[in-house]
Amino acid sequence: MADEVVLLGTYVSMFAVRVKIALADKGIQYEYKEENLVNKSPLLLQMNPIHKKIPVLIHNGKPICESLIIVEYIDEVWKDKSPLLPSDPYKKAQARFWADYVDKKIYDAGKKIWTTKVEDQEAANKEFIECLKVLEGELGDKPYFGGESFGFVDLALIPYYSWFPAYEKFGKFSIEPECPKFVAWAKRCMQKENVSKYLSDPDKIYDFVVMLRQRMGIV
């Protein structure tokens, strides 16, 4: 009996994009359901009653929530192709640490850029760049965070790249001159078909942020 795999997500979600890339890397066929987060579906509320958030992976009727947990699940269940996490326990722990850093730092620092007051804009931009520089330090001279091949940390981080043009427009700054090594890494990732195919369109991200700012009363 074939696996039944369903993904609940939204187009603009960097967290759903992670799961799409992982599924594509593994060659897994699945049904994608676009969610409306203003009017959440009964299926989403049933499958993630605690947080009521996307993404949710439903595998043979059983839900798995939270994007990094989903990606690890995918890597463990379909382990015969394109491993995302290293097998070495120490390297695996390090990969989890940096993926966690991405979620704890990059998401909030990025959001601060387009929600902050004008007088605090420069500080918000600086904080974001400092986070990227920390990641540049971890990347070093490696092509990818895990070494020679695209892996767990790369997958956790690359969906944010679609948001960079919006960050730059609202923050009125440029990221590449400050973090050339980071942008070179992102462009390297974009050469992978499974990355470029599933990353959100930056123009749609920008329109989405404009809508969010209007809802929040930010001029």
Side-chain angles (χ1 to χ4, degrees):
M1 182 178 161
D3 283 320
E4 184 182 288
V5 181
V6 178
L7 173 62
L8 309 182
T10 63
Y11 179 79
V12 296
S13 168
M14 64 275 284
F15 306 114
V17 169
R18 288 172 172 172
V19 182
K20 290 178 184 178
I21 295 171
L23 290 168
D25 262 10
K26 298 287 186 177
I28 300 162
Q29 297 293 315
Y30 66 98
E31 179 184 0
Y32 176 71
K33 292 180 182 286
E34 179 77 10
E35 283 288 331
N36 179 347
L37 297 185
V38 177
N39 184 21
K40 298 176 183 179
S41 73
L43 182 61
L44 174 59
L45 299 176
Q46 176 192 348
M47 291 295 167
N48 190 359
I50 307 301
H51 295 305
K52 303 176 178 62
K53 291 181 179 179
I54 53 93
V56 179
L57 186 77
I58 307 168
H59 182 208
N60 295 331
K62 297 178 180 177
I64 303 96
C65 305
E66 300 295 316
S67 63
L68 292 180
I69 294 172
I70 294 171
V71 170
E72 286 205 46
Y73 177 86
I74 290 168
D75 203 36
E76 287 180 21
V77 173
W78 293 279
K79 55 189 173 188
D80 296 334
K81 184 182 178 185
S82 304
L84 293 166
L85 277 158
S87 56
D88 177 78
Y90 178 75
K91 290 180 180 177
K92 187 180 291 185
Q94 288 298 104
R96 286 171 172 154
F97 172 87
W98 286 108
D100 185 62
Y101 177 89
V102 169
D103 276 356
K104 284 192 168 77
K105 294 288 188 177
I106 300 300
Y107 180 81
D108 287 340
K111 185 176 181 180
K112 204 175 286 185
I113 290 171
W114 57 267
T115 56
T116 196
K117 296 175 182 176
V118 174
E119 58 268 28
D120 299 325
Q121 190 68 64
E122 190 175 339
N125 296 353
K126 184 180 178 184
E127 180 184 341
F128 185 73
I129 292 295
E130 285 174 354
C131 291
L132 294 188
K133 286 185 180 296
V134 170
L135 288 165
E136 276 193 329
E138 171 58 19
L139 179 64
D141 295 322
K142 304 186 297 290
Y144 300 100
F145 280 91
E148 294 301 315
S149 58
F150 183 87
F152 190 65
V153 181
D154 306 290
L155 186 148
L157 183 54
I158 192 59
Y160 284 89
Y161 191 56
S162 296
W163 289 69
F164 277 27
Y167 296 157
E168 290 179 321
K169 286 175 185 174
F170 291 112
K172 296 181 174 59
F173 74 123
S174 183
I175 293 169
E176 188 166 13
E178 298 281 351
C179 302
K181 191 179 289 187
F182 184 94
V183 173
W185 160 84
K187 290 177 178 177
R188 193 176 303 121
C189 292
M190 290 289 286
Q191 291 172 4
K192 278 179 57 71
E193 183 183 356
N194 287 342
V195 173
S196 58
K197 182 178 178 180
Y198 292 104
L199 249 58
S200 307
D201 180 345
D203 290 337
K204 290 185 179 178
I205 296 292
Y206 177 78
D207 291 343
F208 177 69
V209 173
V210 168
M211 181 269 292
L212 288 179
R213 282 167 56 94
Q214 289 172 344
R215 278 193 188 173
M216 297 166 72
I218 303 170
V219 179

